[in-house]
Amino acid sequence: QAAECEPRPCDGSHFEWAELGETAGALVELIAKVGPGAWDTKAEALSGRGLKGPDGEELTAELVQKIWEEVAPRVKQRLEAKPEMECGHSCNTCPTKDECGLHGALDDW
């Protein structure tokens, strides 16, 4: 039986996204919290954390969207593998799945 899940929506941090790189991993977690789009706001939020683009450049809305488009297929593959999280749920069985912005964000991938 699955353990009790945390009483908060999934924020994507149940997975280790390090293989995507620091900025892309932080972007995935941000999209899990608030969904895709509003790339300018995401660029500001990530820049505020001291993060940069893959070549050390400043983050722009266009670059953040491009980063998402590059990593989205890998994120979708990870979620479709249905890995079990510490609470015993997979993404597909998680009671907060509907609150996670990743699932809707990956519908087109």
Side-chain angles (χ1 to χ4, degrees), residues 43-98:
E44 288 177 26
L46 296 170
S47 293
R49 294 172 52 183
L51 298 172
K52 303 272 186 191
D55 296 319
E57 67 270 50
E58 293 298 318
L59 293 171
T60 63
E62 294 79 17
L63 181 55
V64 169
Q65 183 175 4
K66 180 181 176 196
I67 292 169
W68 169 245
E69 291 169 353
E70 290 174 357
V71 301
R74 291 171 34 200
V75 172
K76 183 172 185 171
Q77 184 178 32
R78 168 86 64 88
L79 296 184
E80 287 178 342
K82 301 176 186 156
E84 187 174 294
M85 292 174 257
E86 292 178 17
C87 64
H89 288 283
S90 71
C91 278
N92 290 343
T93 63
C94 182
T96 64
K97 175 185 176 183
D98 293 336

